[in-house]
Amino acid sequence: MPNKVALVTGGTRGIGHATCIALKAGGYKVAANYATNHEAAKKFQAETGIAVYSWDVSNFESCKNGIAQLEKEMGAVEILVNNAGITRDGMMHKMNPEDWNAVISTNLSSCFNMCHAVIDGMRSRGFGRIINISSINAQAGQMGQTNYSAAKAGILGFTKALARESARKGITVNTVAPGYVHTDMTSHVPEAVMKQIIDQIPVGRMGNPEEVARCVLFLAADEAGFLTGETLSVNGGHHME
Ligand code: NAP
């Protein structure tokens, strides 16, 4: 059993929720970060026994302080899963700068903020696993999501650059790019639109959060040390690179 501390941002709902449970079952000491939905976090903590920490991943100082507190209470973070994300959809010609900036800072700058807070420790200990959650919509582009597609595509470059910087220090950095998965995020997509999307997915259905969690668990392992700078797509065959 690894017995290492694993932190999942946005870990109290959806894909993060399933990832926390998979990591805990895999023997990790798991912590879940979240933003403001305290009710969901309380329920998650009661059901799983996993520690929860609230801070805004788009804020550099909050990440630094949040990690410092968590490490004091639980020990050094050795596995970081940058999963927290939001959507603020709209056609580019109608999108306001607030919706652009909110998605870029929550989905992309968060990876910088969080990695910055843990990377020195990982480098000095000579071990780390960083897994960034991107999206099929980074790889294929999506109408109404210039902000989201740009942020998620930014993660692909960020991952590769940091992977190169960190490889000699025993740290791997990889991306998991999910397709359409049943969570609160996709529950707002109108049924007719979702039906059109599902028609394009070779396996003929959306994914489950547990199917993404399985990919994260694979990349988190000690044995995954020769795998870095990669994108693992989990999308039912919806997009093949
Ligand atoms: P979700 O069900 O909407 O859950 C989002 C989680 O992120 C919640 O725990 C939320 O906390 C947290 N969060 C949001 N903004 C945050 C912030 N500023 N600081 C800290 N935590 C924050 O989302 P999901 O569908 O599981 O998606 C998880 C990740 O997978 C996202 O990065 C998403 O873009 C990506 N993804 C999802 C799909 C899909 O089909 N669902 C497909 C591809 C990629 P609160 O509960 O406090 O709001």
Side-chain angles (χ1 to χ4, degrees):
M1 289 295 237
N3 202 31
K4 294 184 164 80
V5 174
L7 168 61
V8 181
T9 69
T12 53
R13 291 196 285 125
I15 291 170
H17 183 290
T19 301
C20 285
I21 290 172
L23 287 166
K24 188 178 176 192
Y28 295 88
K29 289 191 272 175
V30 183
N33 149 274
Y34 70 101
T36 53
N37 190 337
H38 304 299
E39 203 178 311
K42 237 186 199 169
K43 187 165 176 276
F44 166 82
Q45 188 173 29
E47 284 171 6
T48 63
I50 291 171
V52 296
Y53 292 85
S54 163
W55 74 79
D56 177 2
V57 293
S58 71
N59 184 297
F60 182 82
E61 285 302 318
S62 301
C63 291
K64 198 172 134 192
N65 296 336
I67 292 281
Q69 188 197 337
L70 186 154
E71 291 198 328
K72 211 157 84 186
E73 291 170 7
M74 294 187 63
V77 173
E78 296 192 87
I79 289 93
L80 169 64
V81 185
N82 285 312
N83 164 78
I86 58 167
T87 51
R88 295 281 186 276
D89 295 352
M91 297 291 274
M92 206 284 288
H93 62 280
K94 291 183 182 163
M95 188 178 289
N96 59 45
E98 288 74 30
D99 287 345
W100 171 266
N101 289 324
V103 169
I104 297 294
S105 58
T106 304
N107 296 10
L108 178 59
S109 302
S110 57
C111 292
F112 170 77
N113 298 339
M114 290 296 300
C115 289
H116 200 276
V118 300
I119 201 80
D120 281 343
M122 288 181 176
R123 288 177 71 90
S124 64
R125 291 186 299 275
F127 180 87
R129 296 281 181 266
I130 295 173
I131 298 139
N132 300 317
I133 308 299
S134 177
S135 167
I136 187 174
N137 293 345
Q139 299 164 312
Q142 179 58 283
M143 205 164 103
Q145 288 199 326
T146 50
N147 51 1
Y148 186 83
S149 297
K152 293 296 187 182
I155 287 179
L156 305 180
F158 176 85
T159 295
K160 290 175 190 176
L162 189 60
R164 286 187 189 277
E165 288 183 11
S166 312
R168 295 287 168 96
K169 297 289 183 187
I171 303 164
T172 66
V173 190
N174 289 290
T175 299
V176 171
Y180 287 81
V181 177
H182 288 291
T183 68
D184 292 343
M185 184 178 271
T186 45
S187 65
H188 306 295
V189 179
E191 208 174 310
V193 175
M194 206 37 98
K195 190 186 170 311
Q196 276 178 359
I197 291 171
I198 291 171
D199 284 347
Q200 293 163 22
I201 304 175
V203 303
R205 62 169 177 87
M206 289 172 68
N208 296 312
E210 293 73 20
E211 292 173 306
V212 182
R214 186 168 175 76
C215 298
V216 175
L217 192 64
F218 169 70
L219 293 169
D222 284 8
E223 295 81 1
F226 202 52
L227 206 176
T228 196
E230 266 304 324
T231 302
L232 184 50
S233 299
V234 49
N235 60 33
H238 196 173
H239 180 81
M240 303 180 191
E241 297 225 300

